[in-house]
Structure formats: structure tokens, C-alpha cells
Amino acid sequence: MIEFDAIFYDGKTSTRNAVRVRGFPRSLRIVGAGYDLEVPLAAVRVEPPVAGTRRLLHLPGGAQLQTDDDAALRALFPRSNPLETWVHGLEGRWAYALAAVAVAAGFTWWCAVYGLPLAAELASAHVPTSIEAKLGDRALESIDQTLCGPTAIDAGKQGELSRNFAALTAGQGDGYTYRLEFRACKGMGANAFALPGGAVVLTDALVKLAQNDAQISAVLAHEVGHVRHRHGLRLAIQAAGLAALIATLAGDAVSITGLAVTLPTALLQSGYSREFEDESDAYAFRRLKEIKLSPKYFAEILARIEESRNKDPDGNRGSGPERRRSDLGYLSTHPSTAERIERALKNQ
Amino acid sequence: MRARCPNCDSPVDSDAPKCDKCGALFGTGWKPVPFPEDTGPEQRYPVEFTGAAGEYFRIWIVNLVLTILTLGVYSAWAKVRRRRYFYGHTRIDREGFEYRGRPIAILKGRLIAVAAVALFYGTANFASSLIWLLAILIVCAAPWLIVRSMAFNAYNSAYRNIRLRFRGTYLQCLGLLLWTGFILVVTFGLAYPYFKARLMEFLFRNHSYGTTAFEVPDLSYFGIYVRAVGLGLFVGLAAALGGKFFNAVVGDGSRAASTLIGYIGYLFIFSYIRAEIANATWSVVRIRKARFECALRTGDLFWLYLVNIIAIVATLGLAAPWAMVRAMRYRAQKMTVFAAGGLESFVAAESAEVGAAGEEIGEMFDFDLSL
């Protein structure tokens, strides 16, 4: 017969009663502290075990037994809480815990590198272009507030470049309303970037750096590739997915520190765009040939951008840590420039 | 003096002629059974946290992986297991707390919460013309969320087989939020300490342990926030000067130095407010003859958080369980309960007021919205 010591709470007051419990095939008999109760086993609700804490039995009428005698309860209620009992077994062994660390690490890595980009690509196909355009407008607003100021390029030059851009984007039939935005962005140097929905931002420094309009068209063709392949939207979905993933994994830990959540997001971001750049390059080469421009202009302007950065990392863009960081960011998110130049020349 | 009916166990006055609940007449055969004295010498019960980082790490990681493998469905079960570990290892007078939340209820709550968050972001981003509707909806839903999640957590927390309860109502909470919100707007946010104090009074005063209500005198946090603002000015000054100094010595990186000083200073102020508010509040709470002593120290808390953050970031999150156990152990260690006549004579609510409806109330609270 199974017997164990327990503490009995009647559920009406907080009085602690030390009792002795005897287990019979169909019932429990609770004796001690003035009690002598018989409770059918079927009426007992067993709480699953948790490491280092007392086992709890809920009795009919709100009473409760608490005991440290885990072995007795296992013998009395061998089939209670199968799921939690199994989990409790896993929780008890370091071998399983280490295996779990490996699974969690592998899963996180897989998600960041393959799962999220794939999910973002699939999801982005279902987002209407009107929503993309709204995202792009919001992004441009925030860029205008923080990074960029009004352009200093004269209206004539602007008109000329805009006409070239219109020729570049004419007849695409992809539902996007392309437009060229001129901005003076101090921290970015010679740069162009595409926003979701069709806006392409061209910095004054790039206009100055280019030797001719064809070189600028080549860069813009690359940016149009980003728009067509919805890279901005996919990146946004990936970032949101990664944040959600980390929040889920970290669970309660999030309340301790938001910092730990944002940091890996930023770290993983830089690895994403490599494929995106290749995709956009491929599009640019194709489109340039369609409008009778040689991809060699793309090679030329890439070389000039690379040269201007290497020669004079701070250049005429002033000095300060944030400038240098953005250059590093640019270089690390873009595939090896030499490789891209080579590919452009091969595609002539 | 308090006593209980020998027939139905309801609490009665020791000189009552009959039991209001079951109608038993006292005086001849039956007599109310007195509880152990409340007025005995005050006894000291330190709060202990007996959890261990290694043990909790295993629970955390195993449940995390099960959550991953079930695509998040198991997360509700994981939450219950983690909670039960923390509750069970938090002990007063050797007795642990008990978490009774049921995974299915939590899963339901999470689904509702995910839908609500998706709706919120969807509306905010893509239908900004409806934003006013959303604002009204939030104002209406906020008191409901607060009241329901407090009620769910209280109802599912037990100590010595007696549940906590939260009795605050939607209307009370709505009134409080509207009034303090109005004061906040009128004073351009300067009345934040007033808002915080009223909110804490509302939360504490509506809690009870069984039938025994928490008693809290009027709270005031003005002194705490005034000193926090003073600290903030000091941190701002230190960040500016530190940046300049760094620039002069190293020649670059003044912005990074200022940012770092700013973050560390922010963490210090955060720790200060946390510690002082907890101390000021818990030290005046009474539950009949029981009182609390909470003696958190800003320096300790600051160091604890700083080390936790560094450890979590450096281990890519693996130190999170260790950090949580550490924080909990410190908080428990600084908390003491004093009770005249011991902790034996508190009375559960169900038999006295809720009666057979107890189970129904459980069903009503059957979802948890605190993610």
C-alpha cells in the first residue's frame, strides 16, 4: 500500500494541516489534524510536476493536498497529465536541454537565412501595389525628416534626368508609378535607393560623380530592379518577421531588455540584400540593352563610386563616425564590386 | 473577533446568534469556532525564492523548442510551466505560491491578442483615415484589458490553497483613466506621478487574498519623480560632458560616448523609479494583520539589470533564464512579510461570497490577454 505525508488545506481557510495519506485502489484516505476523509481517486485532479516544487492534488470541494513525495503520486496516478509528465522528463536532463539549444540555434539560423526571406517573398506577392506605395511614401517622409534635405541640382538637369528615367521605366506594365526624387543626403555620399511602390531617390553627390547621363540611367535601372522585385517590401516583411520570431523565442525575457531584441535584428539585416543586388543587376543589364544603352555604363559608375569611397572615405562629405559607418554598411550589403563590374562588362 | 461556522465553515462573528449563510443557530449545541488569534506577537516571514538557474534553464529551453516544433501552439503550455516554476519556488513560511492558469484559456487569449494587434497595425498603416475610430476603440478597450488581465492573474494565483481576487470593475477603471487622462493632458504630462499613484491605488485596493482585502493608504509618488527628473538632468549633463571629454582625449567618437552614458544613465533612473515605487507601495500595504517590508536598493537593481542585459546580449539570449532567476531571487530576498498571529487564519472567498458561482467566474475569466 502507498502511504505519504502531506499538507492538507481545506480550501476555506489558510490553516496548514499535517496529514497522513493512504492510497487504496479506488480512493485516498486522509487522516490527521482532526480529519478523517475518504476521497475517490477519480475525483482527484493531479497537477503536473514542476521541478523542485511540491506536488499538488486538487480534491472535490476546493480542498488540496500538497506533498513532496513524488514517487508515491507517480505510483498512485501513473496515467495523469501524460503531456506534462513527458515534458517534465525532458526538462530534467541536461542532454535534452543541450539538444534543445542546438535545435533552437539551428532553427533561428535557418529562419533568418532561408525561412524568412522565402516567407517574405511569398507574402509580398499578395500585397497590392497601392499598399506598397503607401509604405514607400511613409519611408520617404521619414528619410526627409532625418537623413536628406532638398536638392541643389538645377531644374534643367533635373528635367533631363527625369526624362531619361521616364524612358527607362516606360512600358513596364508592372503597375508601379515610377518617379524620380532628387535629394541632398549628407551622410550617404554618392548613392541611389529605391523605395517600395516606385519612388527612386537620387543623391546630389551621385549626379556630380557621374561623367554622363547614361551612367546615371544605369544606376537607376538597377534601382528599378529593386522596385520590380519588391525588395523594399520583402525586407520590411523580413524585419518584422525576425522581430516577431525573436520576441516569441525570448518570451518573458523581452520585458527584461528590449535591447537584446533589436541588436540581432540589425546584425542579420546586413546579410539579406546580397541576392537582392544580384537580382536587380540582372534586371538592369537586360533593361539597359532594351533601351540601347550598354551595361558598361553600369560598370563605369560602380567603379567611380568604389573609387570615390576608397580614395577618400570622408571626402567632401565631412567627417564623423556615422558617416564612416554608413559607408561600411553600403560596402557590406553590396556584393563584391569587382565581381559586379566584371558581370556588367560580360553582359555588354 | 473572527470565527467560522461549525456547520458550513463560513466566517462569522464569534458572538453571532446564528450563521447568515446556512442558518445554523449558535449558543446551545453549536458554537462558532474561533480562528487562531490575530492579535498575537508579530511574526516575521522572509520571502524566499528557491529556483535555480540551471534547473530553470532546462525548463525554458525545452519548452522553447516545443513551442518552435508546434509552430507556437505549445507556447500557452510553455507559459504555464514557466509561471508554475516561478510561483512554486516563491515561498513564504515554507509554502509556495501556485499558478492555476489553464493553457487553453491562455491560448484563446493569445489568439484574440494577435488578431487585435494585427487589426491595429493594419488600420494604423493602411487605413489612416480610420485612425480616430481606432483611438476611440483603444480608449474603450484599455480599461477592459486592464481589469480582465488583473482578474485572470489574481484568480489564477493561489497561496495556501486560497486564491487572490481582483474586484475592480470596467466602469471604475474607465472613470479613472478618463479623469487622470484629462489631468495629464491639462498639465502637459506633469501630473504623471498623480496618474501612477491613482492607478496603483486602484490595482492594489481591488485585490484581496481570499475574502481579506488589501488595504492601501493614499499614495504619493511626487517626491520619487522629482528626484528622478533631477537625476535625468544630471545624466544629460554627464552625457554631454563625457562626450566632450572623450572627444578631447581620443579625438573621435564623442557621439558614441554620449550615447553610452545616456543609456547607462537611463537604466539607473529606471532602476531608481522601480525600486522606490515598489518600496513606497509595498511598505504601506496591509492585508488585515499582515504587512510587508520591501527594501529594494537602486544600486543593486541597476547592477542587476546591467549585468543581465550584458549577459543576455553576449550569450545571444541563452542567459535569459539565469537573468530571470537572478532578478526574482533579489526581489524576493528584499521582501519580508510580518503577520500578527501567523498566516493561518485567512479565509477563502468562495465559501463566503461567491459560493457555487465560483466555477462560473472561472469560466468568465477564461482567457488571458497579458501576452
Side-chain angles (χ1 to χ4, degrees):
Chain A
M1 191 169 52
I2 298 159
E3 273 195 56
F4 59 94
D5 286 322
I7 288 164
F8 177 77
Y9 284 110
D10 64 4
K12 297 181 176 90
T13 76
S14 60
T15 311
R16 175 167 53 194
N17 305 290
V19 294
R20 184 80 181 159
V21 182
R22 254 180 263 161
F24 294 97
R26 290 176 188 284
S27 65
L28 289 179
R29 182 137 181 233
I30 301 159
V31 182
Y35 289 97
D36 188 348
L37 305 167
E38 180 117 2
V39 179
L41 282 189
V44 176
R45 193 163 62 80
V46 186
E47 284 280 355
V50 172
T53 66
R54 264 193 212 147
R55 295 295 309 268
L56 306 174
L57 299 179
H58 297 288
L59 307 179
Q64 193 180 55
L65 281 174
Q66 304 190 354
T67 181
D68 288 318
D69 198 337
D70 188 46
L73 290 203
R74 274 168 194 273
L76 269 172
F77 303 96
R79 276 183 291 280
S80 71
N81 306 298
L83 171 69
E84 282 94 342
T85 307
W86 175 71
V87 173
H88 178 64
L90 296 181
E91 290 166 353
R93 303 269 293 272
W94 275 105
Y96 293 125
L98 293 178
V101 170
V103 172
F107 173 78
T108 313
W109 176 82
W110 181 86
C111 273
V113 177
Y114 300 105
L116 282 174
L118 186 68
E121 194 180 344
L122 293 176
S124 68
H126 296 282
V127 177
T129 45
S130 62
I131 285 180
E132 250 190 291
K134 270 188 186 149
L135 276 179
D137 291 344
R138 285 168 62 96
L140 188 60
E141 267 169 40
S142 85
I143 287 168
D144 279 339
Q145 276 161 18
T146 53
L147 295 168
C148 297
T151 179
I153 306 287
D154 65 74
K157 182 78 178 167
Q158 278 191 40
E160 191 186 319
L161 291 173
S162 294
R163 272 192 300 280
N164 290 346
F165 184 70
L168 182 71
T169 56
Q172 296 283 294
D174 53 11
Y176 290 109
T177 320
Y178 291 99
R179 65 180 203 276
L180 189 57
E181 300 276 351
F182 295 88
R183 292 289 188 279
C185 307
K186 271 188 282 173
M188 284 183 205
N191 213 334
F193 48 92
L195 298 173
V200 175
V201 180
L202 184 60
T203 70
D204 288 9
L206 184 61
V207 178
K208 288 199 192 89
L209 186 75
Q211 291 158 309
N212 51 50
D213 289 356
Q215 289 179 351
I216 292 177
S217 288
V219 171
L220 295 179
H222 170 84
E223 298 306 329
V224 169
H226 280 314
V227 173
R228 283 176 62 87
H229 288 109
R230 304 189 146 193
H231 288 157
L233 178 67
R234 277 156 67 178
L235 206 63
I237 297 176
Q238 279 175 34
L242 193 63
L245 176 73
I246 290 173
T248 313
L249 292 184
D252 298 344
V254 176
S255 54
I256 295 181
T257 163
L259 185 70
V261 176
T262 47
L263 195 76
T265 319
L267 287 178
L268 287 165
Q269 280 297 308
S270 63
Y272 282 145
S273 8
R274 206 149 281 227
E275 278 172 82
F276 288 0
E277 298 299 342
D278 286 348
E279 248 177 13
S280 294
D281 280 359
Y283 168 79
F285 303 154
R286 211 169 53 239
R287 181 64 189 158
L288 286 175
K289 277 190 269 185
E290 277 172 23
I291 59 167
K292 309 278 184 279
L293 279 177
S294 165
K296 80 165 194 219
Y297 293 114
F298 190 65
E300 284 173 15
I301 188 70
L302 268 188
R304 279 189 73 80
I305 292 173
E306 173 90 335
E307 197 187 343
S308 81
R309 280 164 213 274
N310 286 349
K311 195 170 62 190
D312 188 7
D314 290 343
N316 52 7
R317 306 193 301 277
S319 67
E322 70 278 13
R323 307 272 144 71
R324 232 170 279 156
R325 225 182 298 132
S326 73
D327 285 351
L328 271 178
Y330 182 88
L331 291 179
S332 71
T333 55
H334 283 59
S336 150
T337 312
E339 241 173 70
R340 295 172 68 194
I341 291 173
E342 204 177 299
R343 229 176 297 158
L345 293 174
K346 224 183 279 172
N347 264 289
Q348 276 183 71
Chain B
M1 211 176 80
R2 301 171 60 85
R4 68 185 165 92
C5 170
N7 184 40
C8 69
D9 284 327
S10 318
V12 292
D13 284 339
S14 56
D15 52 359
K18 71 180 192 61
C19 174
D20 292 334
K21 177 95 182 182
C22 69
L25 291 170
F26 302 142
T28 49
W30 274 339
K31 264 173 137 162
V33 183
F35 282 127
E37 272 294 334
D38 266 358
T39 47
E42 192 172 70
Q43 299 192 45
R44 183 174 178 277
Y45 301 101
V47 180
E48 292 167 281
F49 182 70
T50 53
E55 199 171 57
Y56 182 61
F57 176 81
R58 295 196 302 266
I59 292 178
W60 179 77
I61 193 76
V62 164
N63 283 278
L64 186 70
V65 164
L66 289 175
T67 300
I68 292 172
L69 295 179
T70 57
L71 304 175
V73 174
Y74 181 81
S75 71
W77 279 259
K79 177 180 175 169
V80 169
R81 280 201 78 70
R82 289 197 302 259
R83 283 249 171 144
R84 288 193 58 214
Y85 185 83
F86 273 89
Y87 275 58
H89 279 283
T90 305
R91 299 177 209 238
I92 301 172
D93 189 25
R94 290 168 297 154
E95 303 296 302
F97 283 78
E98 185 195 348
Y99 184 67
R100 291 188 182 171
R102 281 186 304 187
I104 291 287
I106 291 166
L107 189 64
K108 268 196 258 173
R110 288 195 167 178
L111 291 177
I112 294 173
V114 166
V117 168
L119 187 75
F120 174 79
Y121 277 108
T123 313
N125 278 318
F126 305 123
S128 22
S129 54
L130 291 176
I131 204 87
W132 58 274
L133 194 70
L134 204 64
I136 294 174
L137 215 64
I138 289 173
V139 170
C140 293
W144 185 80
L145 285 177
I146 294 174
V147 168
R148 276 304 150 99
S149 75
M150 291 317 272
F152 183 86
N153 277 319
Y155 186 76
N156 285 307
S157 304
Y159 173 68
R160 290 168 173 254
N161 197 24
I162 292 183
R163 295 175 190 260
L164 293 181
R165 287 200 313 157
F166 182 77
R167 288 167 310 176
T169 64
Y170 174 82
L171 283 179
Q172 278 175 321
C173 192
L174 181 71
L176 174 85
L177 291 188
L178 287 179
W179 165 245
T180 50
F182 169 73
I183 297 284
L184 274 178
V185 169
V186 167
T187 59
F188 302 106
L190 285 177
Y192 183 78
Y194 175 82
F195 159 76
K196 179 88 178 175
R198 297 295 84 75
L199 185 67
M200 292 292 260
E201 284 168 7
F202 171 73
L203 297 182
F204 270 88
R205 283 175 183 163
N206 283 300
H207 267 97
S208 52
Y209 173 55
T211 49
T212 319
F214 285 36
E215 293 159 43
V216 187
D218 290 346
L219 299 167
S220 171
Y221 299 140
F222 270 103
I224 296 170
Y225 281 99
V226 166
R227 284 187 290 274
V229 168
L231 277 174
L233 293 176
F234 178 75
V235 166
L237 195 68
L241 289 178
K244 282 231 162 60
F245 176 75
F246 201 77
N247 214 13
V249 175
V250 186
D252 201 354
S254 68
R255 178 186 277 238
S258 296
T259 311
L260 188 66
I261 294 173
Y263 273 129
I264 292 177
Y266 168 77
L267 188 65
F268 188 84
I269 297 168
F270 177 81
S271 311
Y272 174 78
I273 293 175
R274 264 279 172 96
E276 290 303 313
I277 289 211
N279 292 348
T281 312
W282 277 107
S283 301
V284 295
V285 170
R286 294 274 183 290
I287 305 178
R288 209 165 76 221
K289 296 286 176 173
R291 65 183 180 87
F292 300 84
E293 193 181 274
C294 183
L296 298 177
R297 284 163 49 174
T298 306
D300 292 347
L301 216 52
F302 166 71
W303 185 244
L304 183 101
Y305 288 143
L306 188 66
V307 171
N308 279 359
I309 289 171
I310 293 171
I312 289 173
V313 172
T315 59
L316 298 176
L318 284 180
W322 174 79
M324 283 182 265
V325 165
R326 228 173 131 244
M328 193 61 200
R329 185 177 299 144
Y330 175 73
R331 286 214 297 268
Q333 191 192 322
K334 293 293 172 186
M335 185 87 129
T336 316
V337 181
F338 295 89
L343 299 168
E344 303 267 318
S345 57
F346 289 94
V347 179
E350 283 85 351
S351 63
E353 282 166 40
V354 188
E359 203 58 36
E360 257 171 74
I361 286 174
E363 293 303 318
M364 256 165 56
F365 293 150
D366 230 3
F367 50 88
D368 177 18
L369 282 159
S370 55
L371 265 175

